[in-house]
Amino acid sequence: MKTPKVERLKINYKTLEEFQKFREYGLQELSMLEDLQSNIIENDSNSPFYGIYLDGQLIARISLYRIDAKYDRYFKPAQDYYELWKLEVLPQYREQDYGTALVNHAKSFGLPIKTNARCRSNDFWLKMGFQPVNYDPVRDRGENPFVWLPPGVQLQ
Amino acid sequence: MKTPKVERLKINYKTLEEFQKFREYGLQELSMLEDLQSNIIENDSNSPFYGIYLDGQLIARISLYRIDAKYDRYFKPAQDYYELWKLEVLPQYREQDYGTALVNHAKSFGLPIKTNARCRSNDFWLKMGFQPVNYDPVRDRGENPFVWLPPGVQLQ
């Protein structure tokens, strides 16, 4: 299999319709739809989502949200980092490394990444070179944070 | 069916062993185990978890974490509130209102509640009297926040 192409998703009605196929469709997606309908955002603006298309259909996606260094409570030195969420591959396309391709794309930006490893996905994140943090109840609030550290970056 | 009894869970090896049956077992639970092993917390301390036992087995649980008013970005007037997470009923006990009993217990404390409605659970939260917030990307970071407002409390 050749390496799948990861694209930054455009916000438009087609993308939002495709998002409905994903399990984690919620207020973020609805708010994008409302902003589009009321022209608060332009059709075809860049979204925080990246995805993989197969035969013209979106089959996998991820959201990457850049957090400003002043809010960083994970990394040393404190710096801008990406919060990664909504990594999801449609059921019939799983176990084919599409998730891996999306995470590698996130890593290619060179900033630290923090995610919330859900539903016992620890093994996947470890395989991707992520590590668990020391759980801090005030900071982590029930999350299961795993982080990826580029060279030269440490945990706080 | 009589109303199930909701109990505050004690932190001990038995509880932590039972937690392993739940899907969302992660760093929070592991950190409780480590704290217990190194005597940082005492056996039988109160945990942030509440649960329901059936025939001596833990079959449903919820975590309630009290957030100080100074961090409140959801409610008006700003006040202490509960962040609710890890609501989970073991598969064979679902559709029997155990989740409802846990959420009602959370509401009985009289403070506003915020949760992250995951995996298209919106209908459950609406039925429980929760409402979606207006999604704010900086505050909500990909979450799907639903809140419960006691009388006299509004959204910010």
Side-chain angles (χ1 to χ4, degrees):
Chain A
M1 198 179 86
K2 66 182 173 94
T3 306
K5 185 179 161 210
V6 175
E7 301 176 40
R8 183 158 195 179
L9 302 185
K10 297 284 184 188
I11 302 178
N12 55 43
Y13 290 102
K14 175 92 170 65
T15 304
L16 291 169
E17 196 187 309
E18 301 214 78
F19 278 0
Q20 293 183 33
K21 294 184 211 159
F22 289 80
R23 191 167 160 88
E24 289 292 346
Y25 181 91
L27 295 179
Q28 182 183 17
E29 289 78 1
L30 286 171
S31 121
M32 286 164 68
L33 181 61
E34 281 168 16
D35 289 352
L36 196 57
Q37 283 167 338
S38 42
N39 298 311
I40 292 171
I41 49 175
E42 275 184 73
N43 192 12
D44 275 350
S45 305
N46 277 323
S47 79
F49 286 93
Y50 295 78
I52 296 170
Y53 287 91
L54 200 70
D55 301 328
Q57 303 294 313
L58 185 67
I59 60 149
R61 71 166 194 185
I62 202 171
S63 181
L64 287 176
Y65 192 85
R66 188 166 176 148
I67 308 285
D68 192 276
K70 68 175 181 244
Y71 300 113
D72 179 7
R73 299 176 67 189
Y74 290 97
F75 305 104
K76 190 168 66 176
Q79 58 199 282
D80 284 15
Y81 69 95
Y82 281 107
E83 198 150 325
L84 181 167
W85 62 67
K86 298 193 178 176
L87 170 60
E88 191 173 338
V89 179
L90 292 182
Q92 60 271 44
Y93 301 101
R94 291 184 188 160
E95 310 298 331
Q96 293 169 64
D97 292 336
Y98 292 117
T100 299
L102 288 171
V103 175
N104 281 338
H105 192 77
K107 288 158 79 171
S108 73
F109 297 130
L111 291 181
I113 304 171
K114 179 239 154 185
T115 193
N116 179 16
R118 296 194 53 94
C119 300
R120 298 177 177 254
S121 58
N122 295 12
D123 287 349
F124 171 77
W125 293 107
L126 291 171
K127 199 180 70 181
M128 294 307 302
F130 283 59
Q131 59 180 272
V133 303
N134 283 317
Y135 182 76
D136 173 338
V138 176
R139 177 191 64 184
D140 298 323
R141 299 185 177 189
E143 283 196 354
N144 201 29
F146 274 62
V147 295
W148 177 74
L149 305 174
V153 179
Q154 295 179 297
L155 280 172
Q156 277 185 11
Chain B
M1 199 179 86
K2 67 183 172 91
T3 307
K5 185 178 162 213
V6 176
E7 301 176 39
R8 185 157 193 181
L9 302 185
K10 298 283 185 189
I11 303 178
N12 54 44
Y13 290 103
K14 173 92 170 66
T15 303
L16 290 169
E17 195 187 310
E18 300 214 79
F19 278 180
Q20 293 183 32
K21 295 184 210 160
F22 289 80
R23 192 169 159 87
E24 288 293 345
Y25 181 91
L27 295 180
Q28 183 182 16
E29 290 79 1
L30 286 172
S31 120
M32 286 164 68
L33 182 61
E34 281 168 18
D35 289 351
L36 196 57
Q37 283 167 338
S38 43
N39 299 310
I40 292 173
I41 49 175
E42 276 184 71
N43 192 11
D44 274 351
S45 304
N46 278 322
S47 79
F49 285 93
Y50 295 79
I52 296 170
Y53 287 91
L54 201 69
D55 302 327
Q57 301 295 312
L58 184 68
I59 61 149
R61 70 166 196 185
I62 201 171
S63 180
L64 288 177
Y65 192 85
R66 188 165 174 150
I67 308 285
D68 192 275
K70 68 174 180 248
Y71 301 112
D72 178 7
R73 299 176 68 189
Y74 290 97
F75 305 105
K76 190 168 67 178
Q79 59 199 282
D80 284 14
Y81 70 96
Y82 281 108
E83 198 149 326
L84 182 167
W85 62 67
K86 296 192 180 179
L87 170 59
E88 189 173 340
V89 179
L90 292 182
Q92 60 270 45
Y93 301 101
R94 291 185 189 159
E95 309 298 330
Q96 294 169 63
D97 291 337
Y98 292 116
T100 299
L102 288 172
V103 176
N104 282 337
H105 192 76
K107 288 158 80 170
S108 73
F109 298 128
L111 291 182
I113 304 170
K114 178 239 154 185
T115 193
N116 179 16
R118 296 193 53 93
C119 299
R120 297 177 179 254
S121 59
N122 295 11
D123 288 349
F124 170 77
W125 294 106
L126 292 171
K127 199 180 71 181
M128 294 306 303
F130 282 61
Q131 58 180 271
V133 303
N134 283 318
Y135 183 76
D136 173 338
V138 176
R139 177 190 65 183
D140 298 323
R141 298 184 176 190
E143 284 197 354
N144 200 28
F146 273 62
V147 295
W148 178 74
L149 305 174
V153 179
Q154 295 178 296
L155 280 173
Q156 277 182 12

Coordinates of all heavy atoms in Angstrom, one line a residue, chain A residues 21-81:
Chain A
K21 N -20.7 10.9 9.1 CA -20.5 9.5 9.2 C -19.6 9.1 10.4 O -19.5 7.9 10.7 CB -19.7 9.1 7.9 CG -20.4 9.2 6.6 CD -19.5 8.7 5.5 CE -19.8 9.4 4.2 NZ -18.7 9.3 3.2
F22 N -19.0 10.1 11.0 CA -18.1 9.7 12.1 C -18.8 9.7 13.4 O -19.8 10.5 13.6 CB -16.9 10.8 12.1 CG -16.0 10.6 10.9 CD1 -16.3 11.1 9.7 CD2 -14.8 9.9 11.1 CE1 -15.5 10.9 8.6 CE2 -14.0 9.7 10.0 CZ -14.3 10.2 8.8
R23 N -18.3 8.9 14.3 CA -18.9 8.7 15.6 C -18.9 9.9 16.5 O -19.9 10.3 17.1 CB -18.1 7.5 16.3 CG -18.8 7.0 17.6 CD -18.1 5.7 18.0 NE -18.3 5.4 19.3 CZ -19.4 4.7 19.8 NH1 -20.3 4.2 18.9 NH2 -19.5 4.4 21.0
E24 N -17.8 10.6 16.5 CA -17.6 11.8 17.3 C -18.1 13.1 16.5 O -17.3 13.9 16.2 CB -16.2 11.9 17.8 CG -15.8 10.9 18.9 CD -16.6 11.0 20.2 OE1 -17.2 12.1 20.4 OE2 -16.5 10.1 21.0
Y25 N -19.4 13.1 16.3 CA -19.9 14.3 15.6 C -20.7 15.0 16.7 O -21.6 14.5 17.3 CB -20.9 13.8 14.5 CG -21.6 14.9 13.7 CD1 -21.0 15.4 12.6 CD2 -22.7 15.5 14.2 CE1 -21.6 16.5 11.9 CE2 -23.3 16.5 13.5 CZ -22.8 17.0 12.3 OH -23.4 18.0 11.6
G26 N -20.3 16.3 16.9 CA -20.9 17.0 18.1 C -20.9 18.5 17.9 O -21.1 19.0 16.8
L27 N -20.8 19.2 19.0 CA -21.0 20.6 19.0 C -20.0 21.3 18.1 O -20.3 22.3 17.5 CB -21.0 21.2 20.4 CG -22.1 20.7 21.3 CD1 -21.9 21.3 22.7 CD2 -23.5 21.1 20.8
Q28 N -18.8 20.8 18.1 CA -17.8 21.4 17.2 C -18.2 21.4 15.8 O -18.1 22.5 15.1 CB -16.4 20.7 17.4 CG -15.3 21.3 16.6 CD -14.0 20.5 16.6 OE1 -13.9 19.4 17.0 NE2 -12.9 21.2 16.3
E29 N -18.7 20.3 15.3 CA -19.1 20.2 13.9 C -20.4 21.0 13.7 O -20.5 21.7 12.6 CB -19.4 18.7 13.5 CG -18.2 17.8 13.4 CD -17.6 17.4 14.8 OE1 -18.2 17.8 15.8 OE2 -16.5 16.7 14.8
L30 N -21.3 21.0 14.6 CA -22.5 21.8 14.5 C -22.2 23.3 14.4 O -22.9 24.0 13.7 CB -23.5 21.5 15.6 CG -24.2 20.1 15.5 CD1 -25.0 19.8 16.8 CD2 -25.1 20.0 14.3
S31 N -21.3 23.7 15.3 CA -20.9 25.1 15.3 C -20.3 25.5 14.0 O -20.5 26.6 13.5 CB -20.0 25.4 16.5 OG -18.8 25.9 16.1
M32 N -19.5 24.6 13.3 CA -18.9 24.9 12.0 C -20.1 25.1 11.0 O -20.0 26.0 10.1 CB -18.0 23.8 11.6 CG -16.6 23.9 12.3 SD -15.6 22.3 12.2 CE -15.2 22.3 10.5
L33 N -21.1 24.2 11.1 CA -22.2 24.3 10.2 C -22.9 25.6 10.3 O -23.3 26.3 9.3 CB -23.1 23.1 10.4 CG -24.3 23.0 9.5 CD1 -24.0 22.8 8.1 CD2 -25.2 21.8 10.0
E34 N -23.2 26.0 11.6 CA -23.9 27.3 11.8 C -23.1 28.5 11.3 O -23.6 29.4 10.7 CB -24.2 27.4 13.3 CG -25.3 26.6 13.8 CD -25.4 26.5 15.3 OE1 -24.8 27.4 16.0 OE2 -26.2 25.6 15.8
D35 N -21.8 28.4 11.6 CA -20.9 29.5 11.1 C -20.9 29.6 9.6 O -20.8 30.7 9.0 CB -19.5 29.3 11.6 CG -19.4 29.5 13.1 OD1 -20.4 30.0 13.8 OD2 -18.3 29.2 13.7
L36 N -21.0 28.5 9.0 CA -21.0 28.5 7.5 C -22.4 29.0 7.0 O -22.4 29.9 6.1 CB -20.9 27.0 7.0 CG -20.5 26.7 5.6 CD1 -19.2 27.4 5.2 CD2 -20.3 25.2 5.4
Q37 N -23.4 28.6 7.6 CA -24.8 29.0 7.2 C -25.0 30.5 7.4 O -25.6 31.2 6.7 CB -25.9 28.3 8.0 CG -26.1 26.8 7.5 CD -26.9 26.0 8.5 OE1 -27.0 26.2 9.7 NE2 -27.5 24.9 8.0
S38 N -24.4 31.1 8.5 CA -24.5 32.5 8.7 C -23.4 33.3 8.2 O -23.2 34.5 8.6 CB -24.8 32.7 10.2 OG -23.9 32.0 11.0
N39 N -22.6 32.7 7.3 CA -21.4 33.4 6.7 C -20.4 33.9 7.6 O -19.7 34.9 7.3 CB -21.9 34.5 5.7 CG -22.8 33.9 4.6 OD1 -22.4 33.0 3.9 ND2 -24.0 34.5 4.4
I40 N -20.4 33.4 8.9 CA -19.3 33.8 9.8 C -18.0 33.3 9.4 O -17.0 33.9 9.5 CB -19.7 33.4 11.2 CG1 -20.9 34.1 11.8 CG2 -18.5 33.6 12.2 CD1 -21.4 33.6 13.1
I41 N -18.0 32.1 8.8 CA -16.8 31.6 8.1 C -17.2 31.4 6.7 O -18.3 31.1 6.3 CB -16.3 30.2 8.7 CG1 -17.5 29.2 8.9 CG2 -15.6 30.4 10.0 CD1 -17.0 27.8 9.4
E42 N -16.1 31.5 5.9 CA -16.3 31.4 4.4 C -16.3 29.9 4.0 O -15.5 29.1 4.6 CB -15.2 32.1 3.7 CG -15.6 33.6 3.5 CD -14.5 34.2 2.7 OE1 -14.5 34.0 1.4 OE2 -13.7 35.0 3.2
N43 N -17.1 29.6 3.1 CA -17.0 28.3 2.4 C -15.6 28.1 2.0 O -14.9 29.0 1.5 CB -17.9 28.3 1.2 CG -18.2 26.9 0.6 OD1 -17.8 25.9 1.3 ND2 -18.8 26.9 -0.5
D44 N -15.0 26.8 2.2 CA -13.7 26.5 1.8 C -12.6 27.2 2.7 O -11.4 27.2 2.3 CB -13.4 26.8 0.3 CG -13.9 25.6 -0.5 OD1 -14.2 24.6 0.0 OD2 -13.9 25.8 -1.7
S45 N -13.0 27.7 3.9 CA -11.9 28.1 4.8 C -11.1 26.9 5.2 O -11.6 25.7 5.1 CB -12.5 28.7 6.0 OG -13.3 29.8 5.7
N46 N -9.9 27.0 5.8 CA -9.2 25.9 6.3 C -9.8 25.6 7.7 O -10.1 26.4 8.5 CB -7.7 26.3 6.5 CG -7.0 26.1 5.2 OD1 -7.3 25.1 4.5 ND2 -6.0 26.9 4.9
S47 N -10.0 24.3 8.0 CA -10.5 23.8 9.2 C -9.3 23.3 10.1 O -8.2 23.1 9.6 CB -11.5 22.7 9.0 OG -10.8 21.5 8.8
P48 N -9.5 23.0 11.4 CA -8.5 22.4 12.2 C -8.4 20.9 11.9 O -7.6 20.2 12.5 CB -8.9 22.6 13.6 CG -10.4 22.9 13.5 CD -10.7 23.4 12.2
F49 N -9.2 20.4 10.9 CA -9.2 19.0 10.6 C -8.3 18.6 9.5 O -8.2 19.4 8.5 CB -10.6 18.5 10.3 CG -11.5 18.4 11.5 CD1 -12.3 19.5 11.8 CD2 -11.6 17.3 12.2 CE1 -13.2 19.4 12.9 CE2 -12.5 17.2 13.3 CZ -13.3 18.3 13.7
Y50 N -7.7 17.4 9.6 CA -6.9 16.8 8.5 C -7.6 15.5 8.2 O -8.1 14.9 9.1 CB -5.5 16.6 8.9 CG -4.8 18.0 9.1 CD1 -5.0 18.7 10.3 CD2 -4.0 18.5 8.1 CE1 -4.4 19.9 10.5 CE2 -3.4 19.8 8.3 CZ -3.6 20.4 9.5 OH -3.0 21.7 9.7
G51 N -7.5 15.0 7.0 CA -8.2 13.8 6.7 C -7.6 13.1 5.5 O -6.7 13.6 4.8
I52 N -8.1 11.9 5.2 CA -7.6 11.0 4.1 C -8.9 10.7 3.3 O -9.9 10.2 3.8 CB -7.0 9.7 4.6 CG1 -5.7 10.1 5.4 CG2 -6.7 8.8 3.5 CD1 -5.1 8.9 6.1
Y53 N -8.7 10.9 2.0 CA -9.8 10.5 1.1 C -9.5 9.3 0.3 O -8.3 9.0 -0.1 CB -10.0 11.7 0.0 CG -10.7 12.9 0.6 CD1 -10.0 13.9 1.1 CD2 -12.1 13.0 0.6 CE1 -10.6 15.0 1.7 CE2 -12.7 14.1 1.2 CZ -11.9 15.1 1.7 OH -12.6 16.2 2.2
L54 N -10.5 8.5 0.1 CA -10.3 7.3 -0.7 C -11.5 7.2 -1.7 O -12.6 7.3 -1.3 CB -10.3 6.0 0.2 CG -9.7 4.8 -0.4 CD1 -8.2 4.9 -0.5 CD2 -10.0 3.6 0.5
D55 N -11.2 7.2 -3.0 CA -12.2 7.3 -4.0 C -13.2 8.4 -3.8 O -14.4 8.3 -3.9 CB -13.0 6.0 -4.1 CG -12.1 4.8 -4.3 OD1 -11.1 5.0 -5.1 OD2 -12.4 3.7 -3.8
G56 N -12.6 9.6 -3.4 CA -13.5 10.8 -3.2 C -14.3 10.8 -1.9 O -15.0 11.8 -1.7
Q57 N -14.1 9.8 -1.0 CA -14.9 9.8 0.2 C -13.9 10.0 1.4 O -12.8 9.4 1.4 CB -15.6 8.4 0.5 CG -16.5 8.0 -0.6 CD -17.7 9.0 -0.7 OE1 -18.3 9.3 0.3 NE2 -18.1 9.4 -1.9
L58 N -14.3 10.8 2.4 CA -13.5 11.0 3.6 C -13.6 9.7 4.4 O -14.7 9.3 4.8 CB -13.9 12.2 4.3 CG -13.1 12.6 5.6 CD1 -11.7 13.1 5.2 CD2 -13.8 13.6 6.4
I59 N -12.4 9.1 4.7 CA -12.5 7.8 5.4 C -11.8 7.9 6.8 O -11.9 7.0 7.6 CB -11.9 6.6 4.6 CG1 -10.4 6.9 4.3 CG2 -12.7 6.4 3.4 CD1 -9.6 5.7 4.2
A60 N -11.0 9.0 7.0 CA -10.3 9.1 8.3 C -10.1 10.6 8.6 O -9.9 11.3 7.6 CB -9.0 8.4 8.2
R61 N -10.1 10.9 9.8 CA -9.9 12.4 10.1 C -9.2 12.5 11.5 O -9.2 11.6 12.4 CB -11.2 13.1 10.1 CG -12.1 12.8 11.2 CD -13.2 13.8 11.4 NE -13.8 13.6 12.7 CZ -14.9 14.3 13.1 NH1 -15.5 15.1 12.3 NH2 -15.4 14.1 14.3
I62 N -8.7 13.7 11.7 CA -8.1 14.1 13.0 C -8.2 15.6 13.1 O -8.3 16.3 12.1 CB -6.6 13.7 12.9 CG1 -5.9 13.5 14.2 CG2 -5.8 14.7 12.1 CD1 -4.5 12.9 14.1
S63 N -8.3 16.1 14.3 CA -8.3 17.5 14.5 C -7.1 17.9 15.3 O -6.7 17.2 16.3 CB -9.6 17.9 15.3 OG -9.6 19.3 15.5
L64 N -6.4 19.0 14.8 CA -5.2 19.4 15.5 C -5.5 20.9 15.9 O -5.7 21.7 15.0 CB -4.0 19.4 14.5 CG -3.5 18.0 14.3 CD1 -2.4 18.1 13.2 CD2 -2.9 17.4 15.5
Y65 N -5.3 21.2 17.2 CA -5.6 22.5 17.6 C -4.4 23.1 18.3 O -3.9 22.5 19.2 CB -6.8 22.5 18.6 CG -7.4 23.8 18.9 CD1 -8.3 24.4 18.1 CD2 -6.9 24.5 20.0 CE1 -8.9 25.6 18.4 CE2 -7.4 25.8 20.3 CZ -8.4 26.3 19.5 OH -8.9 27.6 19.8
R66 N -3.9 24.2 17.8 CA -2.6 24.7 18.3 C -2.9 25.5 19.6 O -3.7 26.5 19.6 CB -2.0 25.6 17.2 CG -0.6 26.1 17.6 CD 0.2 26.7 16.4 NE 1.4 27.2 16.8 CZ 2.5 27.2 16.0 NH1 2.4 26.7 14.8 NH2 3.7 27.6 16.5
I67 N -2.2 25.1 20.7 CA -2.4 25.8 22.0 C -1.2 26.7 22.1 O 0.0 26.3 21.9 CB -2.4 24.7 23.1 CG1 -3.4 23.6 22.8 CG2 -2.6 25.4 24.4 CD1 -4.8 24.0 23.0
D68 N -1.5 27.9 22.6 CA -0.4 28.9 22.8 C 0.5 28.5 24.0 O 0.0 28.0 25.0 CB -1.1 30.3 23.0 CG 0.0 31.4 22.9 OD1 0.6 31.7 24.0 OD2 0.1 32.0 21.9
A69 N 1.8 28.8 23.8 CA 2.7 28.5 24.9 C 2.3 29.0 26.3 O 2.6 28.3 27.3 CB 4.1 29.1 24.5
K70 N 1.6 30.1 26.3 CA 1.2 30.6 27.7 C 0.2 29.7 28.4 O 0.1 29.8 29.6 CB 0.7 32.1 27.6 CG -0.6 32.3 26.9 CD -1.0 33.8 27.0 CE -2.3 34.0 26.3 NZ -2.3 34.9 25.2
Y71 N -0.4 28.8 27.7 CA -1.4 27.9 28.3 C -0.7 26.5 28.5 O -1.4 25.6 29.0 CB -2.6 27.7 27.5 CG -3.4 29.0 27.3 CD1 -3.5 29.5 26.0 CD2 -4.0 29.6 28.4 CE1 -4.2 30.7 25.9 CE2 -4.7 30.8 28.2 CZ -4.8 31.3 27.0 OH -5.5 32.5 26.8
D72 N 0.6 26.4 28.2 CA 1.2 25.1 28.2 C 1.5 24.6 29.6 O 2.2 25.3 30.4 CB 2.5 25.1 27.4 CG 3.3 23.8 27.5 OD1 2.7 22.8 28.0 OD2 4.4 23.8 27.0
R73 N 0.9 23.5 30.0 CA 1.2 22.9 31.4 C 1.8 21.5 31.3 O 1.8 20.8 32.2 CB -0.1 22.9 32.2 CG -0.7 24.3 32.3 CD -2.1 24.3 33.0 NE -2.0 23.8 34.4 CZ -3.0 23.5 35.2 NH1 -4.2 23.6 34.7 NH2 -2.8 23.1 36.4
Y74 N 2.3 21.2 30.1 CA 2.8 19.9 29.9 C 4.3 19.8 29.6 O 5.0 18.9 30.0 CB 2.1 19.1 28.8 CG 0.7 18.8 29.1 CD1 -0.4 19.6 28.8 CD2 0.4 17.6 29.9 CE1 -1.7 19.2 29.1 CE2 -0.9 17.3 30.2 CZ -1.9 18.1 29.9 OH -3.2 17.8 30.2
F75 N 4.8 20.8 28.8 CA 6.1 20.7 28.2 C 7.1 21.6 28.8 O 6.8 22.7 29.3 CB 6.0 20.9 26.7 CG 5.0 19.9 26.1 CD1 3.8 20.4 25.7 CD2 5.3 18.6 26.0 CE1 2.8 19.5 25.2 CE2 4.3 17.7 25.5 CZ 3.1 18.2 25.0
K76 N 8.4 21.2 28.7 CA 9.6 22.0 29.2 C 10.6 22.0 28.1 O 11.0 20.9 27.7 CB 10.2 21.4 30.4 CG 11.2 22.2 31.2 CD 11.5 21.7 32.5 CE 12.2 20.3 32.4 NZ 12.6 19.8 33.7
P77 N 11.0 23.2 27.5 CA 10.4 24.5 27.9 C 9.0 24.6 27.4 O 8.6 24.0 26.5 CB 11.4 25.4 27.1 CG 11.9 24.7 26.0 CD 12.0 23.3 26.5
A78 N 8.2 25.5 28.1 CA 6.9 25.8 27.7 C 6.8 26.3 26.3 O 7.7 27.1 26.0 CB 6.2 26.7 28.7
Q79 N 5.9 25.8 25.5 CA 5.9 26.2 24.1 C 4.6 25.9 23.4 O 3.7 25.3 24.0 CB 7.0 25.4 23.3 CG 6.8 23.9 23.4 CD 8.1 23.2 23.1 OE1 8.4 23.0 21.9 NE2 8.8 22.7 24.1
D80 N 4.4 26.5 22.2 CA 3.2 26.1 21.5 C 3.2 24.6 21.3 O 4.2 24.0 21.0 CB 3.2 26.8 20.1 CG 2.9 28.3 20.2 OD1 2.9 28.8 21.3 OD2 2.6 28.9 19.2
Y81 N 2.0 24.0 21.3 CA 1.9 22.6 21.1 C 0.5 22.3 20.4 O -0.3 23.2 20.4 CB 2.1 21.8 22.3 CG 1.0 21.9 23.4 CD1 0.0 20.9 23.4 CD2 1.0 22.9 24.3 CE1 -1.0 21.0 24.4 CE2 0.0 23.0 25.3 CZ -1.0 22.0 25.3 OH -2.0 22.2 26.2

